Amino acid sequence: MTPGTTAERCNSILAEIGTAVVGMARPLKLALAAVLSGGHVLFEDMPGLGKTLAAKSMAQTLGLDFRRLQCTPDLLPSDVTGSSIFDPAERSFEFRPGPIFTGLFLADEINRTSPKTQSALLEAMAEGQVSVEGRTIPLQQPFHVFATANPIEFEGTYPLPEAQLDRFLVRLSVGYPEGSAEQEIIRRRLERHRESASLRVVAGPQELLDMQAAVEGVDVDPDIIDYAVRLTAATRSHDAVDVGASPRGSQGLVLMGRALALMDNRSFVLPEDVKSAAVPVLAHRLTLSPSSWARGIKAEDIIVQVMNQVPTPTTVSPRER
């Protein structure tokens, strides 16, 4: 699939999602870029901002099977992966797959379930397979995990550990819509006379795999790789940070940069692509020092500081050379 065809199809996907989801153009573009990169997405923001709707709309437009699991403290790992049920007629155990066996799996309010259940997603997110009852079962492809988290409630919640956060390619915030956008949300709800919105399939699973393959063909200049590594390394030496981003962070910058370049109909990555992805890719990978946390310093602000301090390369595409 050519860059032009992929860019056109991505614009159609985002336009179709935009008929149901209002005021989320940038988060949706970054979420789609993460999907094209083969990654997983964490939406962390206040309740009622359309995070679940965004995930469901993404699945509908991409033609992916969609399963949603509401996370609760009493949820068990088998509720995610599935378990064996005894069949009296056959006098044998039959494995019943859990909701993880789908194209796009939504873990709603993932920080409300225990770490033991959260960890049931680790293998699926990292390796595209599930180990259950002594056997390993591959998941269908494409497979992506979207998760939502509420950052303001602490009672009865289990913050995601660093290892789990690191599995998400990006962490996105939605933010409150502007007044005109909020009015548009209400107007569209009144016009369709029902709660749910019906979206058409713009690209099926096989076409999504073709688009992901096209991302792998995007050129990355050595200067871009060096820039991504320097950005990530700068987070490790920042005074406000105890633990900086891992090499998975710098790899995520390059992966997202390729996807964003392709969505803009380019076959090469610019430094601006890396900058666009820096906050959503790196911020959730930082562990702030206790004094920084007490002073209210945010990881997002540190990434902005790092981008202002690290020199930006002047890079052109190989074809332009």
Side-chain angles (χ1 to χ4, degrees), residues 17-28 49 173-178 180-182 184-185 188:
I17 297 175
T19 62
V21 183
V22 180
M24 291 175 55
R26 175 170 169 75
L28 285 173
L49 297 181
S173 296
V174 177
Y176 288 109
E178 297 180 355
S180 57
E182 194 164 352
E184 181 67 14
I185 293 172
R188 294 188 185 185

Side-chain angles (χ1 to χ4, degrees), residues 227-241:
Y227 181 51
V229 170
R230 285 188 289 116
L231 281 176
T232 307
T235 66
R236 303 167 194 159
S237 57
H238 198 283
D239 294 338
V241 177

Side-chain angles (χ1 to χ4, degrees), residues 100-160:
I100 195 71
F101 291 89
T102 188
L104 196 153
F105 173 72
L106 174 63
D108 222 347
E109 295 186 289
I110 190 173
N111 57 333
R112 282 197 173 279
T113 194
S114 66
K116 183 177 183 180
T117 303
Q118 292 172 3
S119 65
L121 292 170
L122 281 174
E123 183 182 11
M125 295 171 68
E127 303 175 35
Q129 63 184 29
V130 172
S131 294
V132 57
E133 298 179 355
R135 56 175 176 162
T136 300
I137 307 173
L139 298 170
Q140 68 181 56
Q141 296 298 323
F143 167 76
H144 298 278
V145 172
F146 278 34
T148 68
N150 184 346
I152 62 170
E153 294 186 20
F154 300 99
E155 184 176 355
T157 62
Y158 305 86
L160 289 172

Side-chain angles (χ1 to χ4, degrees), residues 161-163 165-166 231-247 249 281-290 292-293 299 302-303 306:
E162 285 73 15
L165 281 173
D166 204 39
L231 281 176
T232 307
T235 66
R236 303 167 194 159
S237 57
H238 198 283
D239 294 338
V241 177
D242 268 354
V243 181
S246 68
V281 169
L282 295 180
H284 64 289
R285 304 177 194 272
L286 305 185
T287 301
L288 302 185
S289 63
S292 301
W293 182 84
I302 294 175
I303 301 301
V306 165

Side-chain angles (χ1 to χ4, degrees), residues 260-274:
L260 291 171
L262 196 64
M263 293 173 71
D264 288 340
N265 194 16
R266 280 183 283 106
S267 59
F268 56 92
V269 180
L270 295 176
E272 286 70 22
D273 299 319
V274 176

